[in-house]
Structures are given as structure tokens and as C-alpha cells.
């Protein structure tokens, strides 16, 4: 864990570098992960985020997760996704200084899924503003994204690089709304039958779906 400078003070970041080397010659991809809503105890140690973390690590990626402003040792206050997008972009700028890897696997869960969608837009459409023009987004993983309480009507993501996974027994975000969001974007979807919002007892299945959507294989 370390603290990095950020617009709201500092952000708490955990980075796993393959072979303990940010510039490992065999690693060209970095996974950046965004956690669920801090107002409901969401942190970077959430078990769905941890499942994404292990997936990325086990598939040879560098992996970076962090706490949004006001969570853990990160300073500041919750900013209803606006400031949290800035937090994620700040972490990406830090990543750019640490490693030569420039392929990006972006993943987020719930509130973090919404933030991830907005971050992807920034990297794809406004990377020059952030000084991140040499990053290439390879995959955008939206896990039970919070598309109800956050305005997602204008989100535009590349269908060939984006996928969504949700449970049809989700008790937090209406499954029909997540499906409608995916249909509008034309993205691949996997529905985990009987799974609730937090994928209790279904995390290994989730990890397998991450493999399938990212690499066309089942783990």
C-alpha cells in the first residue's frame, strides 16, 4: 500500500507488479480496478474487486486497485462519481509514471462499474487532456454496474471491447435495467443465474466469466 498525491489530498493505492518489476519485459497490460459505493462500505478490498484482482494477476497483468476519496487512508469526501472519476484518472497518471505497460484492462463493480465506464470514455476520447495518449484500452469489464442511481444515458463505449456481468437475482440494481444498458451499447453480457449483487458463493464462476470475456476461454 502507498499514498499518492491527488486533487482531494492523497489516494491509497495497492499495486501488484508482475515479478515485482513495474517494467517486467513480458508484461504489457495493467488492470485498473474500481470498487463499489463508499456510502455502503465499498472499498478496494471488496470480494468482487478481489476476484478481478486475482483474475488479472493470474493472467499475467500488473494490477492496481485503490480506495476512492474518503475511503480507508484516501482523503476527501464522497463526490457521487464526479470526483471518483478524477481519482481513477489520477491513479492512471501515476501508473504511467511507474510502468512502460500501456495496454489497459479496466474493471469495476457496482458504483465502480459506473466509474469505470466514465474512466474508459476519458481514456478513449480525452486522453490528451490527462497526458495519457499512449494508453490502449483492451477490455472494459462492468460487473453489476450501477446504471440506475447514476445517469448512464449518454455513456458510449466500444462494443467490441466492453462486457457486462450481472446476476438475475440482483437485489441492489434492477437486472432489467442492466440488460437495457447493455442492449443500448450492444455489448456482450453474461447473466449468472440466481446470483445476487455481491455474487455470494459464485465468485469462482465470476472469475471464469472474466476469463471467457477477456480471452475467449473458460478457466
Amino acid at each position: 500500500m502507498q499514498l499518492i498525491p491527488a486533487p482531494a489530498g492523497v489516494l491509497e493505492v495497492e499495486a501488484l507488479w508482475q515479478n515485482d518489476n513495474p517494467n517486467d519485459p513480458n508484461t504489457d497490460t495493467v488492470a485498473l480496478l474500481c470498487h463499489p459505493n463508499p456510502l455502503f462500505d465499498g472499498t478496494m478490498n471488496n470480494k468482487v474487486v478481489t476476484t478481478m484482482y486475482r483474475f488479472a494477476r493470474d493472467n499475467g497483468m500488473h494490477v492496481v486497485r485503490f480506495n476512492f476519496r474518503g475511503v480507508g487512508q484516501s482523503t476527501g469526501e464522497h463526490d457521487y462519481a464526479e470526483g471518483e472519476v478524477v481519482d481513477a484518472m489520477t491513479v492512471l497518471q501515476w501508473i504511467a509514471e511507474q510502468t512502460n505497460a500501456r495496454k489497459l484492462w479496466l474493471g469495476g463493480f457496482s458504483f465502480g462499474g459506473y466509474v469505470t465506464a466514465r474512466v474508459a470514455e476519458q481514456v478513449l476520447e480525452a486522453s490528451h487532456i490527462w497526458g495519457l495518449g499512449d494508453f490502449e484500452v483492451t477490455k472494459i469489464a462492468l460487473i453489476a454496474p450501477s446504471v440506475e442511481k447514476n445517469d448512464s444515458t449518454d455513456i458510449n463505449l466500444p462494443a467490441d471491447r466492453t462486457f457486462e456481468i450481472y446476476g438475475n437475482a440482483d437485489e441492489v440494481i434492477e437486472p432489467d435495467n442492466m440488460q437495457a444498458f447493455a442492449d443500448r451499447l450492444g455489448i456482450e453480457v453474461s447473466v449468472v443465474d440466481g446470483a445476487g449483487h455481491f455474487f455470494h458463493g459464485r465468485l469462482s464462476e465470476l472469475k471464469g466469466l472474466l476469463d471467457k470475456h477477456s480471452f475467449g476461454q473458460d478457466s
Side-chain angles (χ1 to χ4, degrees):
M1 301 286 185
Q2 61 193 110
L3 302 178
I4 68 169
V10 295
L11 289 170
E12 184 180 8
V13 174
E14 178 185 350
L16 180 143
W17 307 115
Q18 291 291 335
N19 297 312
D20 295 321
N21 178 7
N23 289 311
D24 175 58
N26 298 314
T27 305
D28 61 2
T29 303
V30 182
L32 177 67
L33 310 178
C34 292
H35 69 71
N37 198 323
L39 297 182
F40 300 97
D41 300 322
T43 77
M44 67 176 171
N45 295 314
N46 167 272
K47 64 183 183 178
V48 173
V49 176
T50 298
T51 298
M52 287 192 284
Y53 179 93
R54 291 171 177 163
F55 153 80
R57 176 198 66 195
D58 295 348
N59 280 285
M61 303 180 205
H62 300 313
V63 196
V64 178
R65 58 182 170 180
F66 67 100
N67 277 328
F68 288 128
R69 57 186 62 195
V71 179
Q73 295 184 61
S74 295
T75 58
E77 296 180 355
H78 182 65
D79 195 32
Y80 301 92
E82 294 292 331
E84 283 76 11
V85 171
V86 174
D87 291 344
M89 297 304 294
T90 299
V91 174
L92 266 180
Q93 290 173 325
W94 176 82
I95 288 171
E97 296 171 352
Q98 308 303 311
T99 177
N100 294 325
R102 285 297 181 267
K103 292 183 178 179
L104 270 181
W105 191 99
L106 298 172
F109 168 50
S110 195
F111 171 81
Y114 175 80
V115 172
T116 292
R118 292 299 187 191
V119 167
E121 286 184 319
Q122 289 296 312
V123 177
L124 291 165
E125 301 170 10
S127 58
H128 58 286
I129 295 173
W130 301 93
L132 299 171
D134 54 350
F135 274 105
E136 175 194 354
V137 176
T138 59
K139 286 292 178 183
I140 305 162
L142 308 178
I143 313 303
S146 182
V147 294
E148 289 178 340
K149 298 179 176 66
N150 301 283
D151 183 9
S152 59
T153 55
D154 65 339
I155 288 176
N156 184 28
L157 298 171
D160 60 336
R161 286 177 274 172
T162 308
F163 64 90
E164 180 180 86
I165 302 171
Y166 68 86
N168 62 5
D170 196 308
E171 69 284 9
V172 176
I173 301 165
E174 176 58 49
D176 286 349
N177 289 338
M178 289 187 282
Q179 186 62 52
F181 172 76
D183 289 345
R184 181 177 71 77
L185 292 177
I187 62 177
E188 285 191 348
V189 180
S190 284
V191 180
V192 182
D193 189 41
H197 188 63
F198 294 97
F199 295 88
H200 294 306
R202 311 298 290 274
L203 294 173
S204 60
E205 195 172 342
L206 173 61
K207 191 168 184 281
L209 289 170
L210 293 170
D211 272 314
K212 176 185 174 182
H213 285 286
S214 297
F215 303 110
Q217 66 194 37
D218 294 303
S219 61

